[in-house]
Amino acid sequence: KMASNVQFAPDCFIAQSPATAIRGQITIGAGTVIHPAVTIIAEGGPIIIGDNNLIEEQTVIINKSTGSVLVIGNGNVFEVGSRVESSTIGDDNVIEAKAVVGPQAVIGNNCRIGAMC
């Protein structure tokens, strides 16, 4: 289920499934791959996803912050079941399986975020 106001680069790949939900003002960059059963919701403000990201199954990316933009850089990996609500994710990060990045967190570049760390 993808909303009509989602903009995506022609060479990104989005695997649709009944469990996939992509809603709100969302931009998806070139070379980004989105696996099935992913939830991306721009509830409070837009989400901008850069180039060459990998978003694996059951990942949830949600922007609940009214009036702010959730910006995800380039070359990031969001492993299975990860959850992101932060306002900024830089470049070349790994958000490991089942890790949660809360709304007050700002992630720079070349970071590895583990679950329960």
Side-chain angles (χ1 to χ4, degrees):
K1 299 166 191 144
M2 188 163 31
S4 60
N5 56 344
V6 174
Q7 298 177 335
F8 50 90
D11 65 341
C12 77
F13 178 79
I14 301 171
Q16 293 284 327
S17 78
T20 301
I22 301 176
R23 295 192 307 267
Q25 186 179 346
I26 299 168
T27 303
I28 301 169
T32 290
V33 175
I34 299 175
H35 287 191
V38 165
T39 300
I40 303 173
I41 300 175
E43 186 177 291
I47 297 173
I48 299 172
I49 299 172
D51 299 338
N52 301 311
N53 291 289
L54 174 60
I55 303 172
E56 295 181 349
E57 293 88 341
Q58 300 173 349
T59 293
V60 175
I61 298 172
I62 187 165
N63 183 0
K64 294 181 181 179
S65 299
T66 303
S68 72
V69 179
L70 190 165
V71 178
I72 295 173
N74 304 314
N76 296 292
V77 176
F78 298 85
E79 293 183 352
V80 175
S82 59
R83 181 177 182 92
V84 172
E85 295 183 31
S86 87
S87 63
T88 304
I89 303 283
D91 298 331
D92 303 312
N93 297 294
V94 176
I95 312 300
E96 292 184 351
K98 302 199 184 245
V100 176
V101 180
Q104 302 303 316
V106 174
I107 308 299
N109 300 324
N110 303 304
C111 299
R112 179 173 293 270
I113 308 298
M116 310 280 285
C117 289

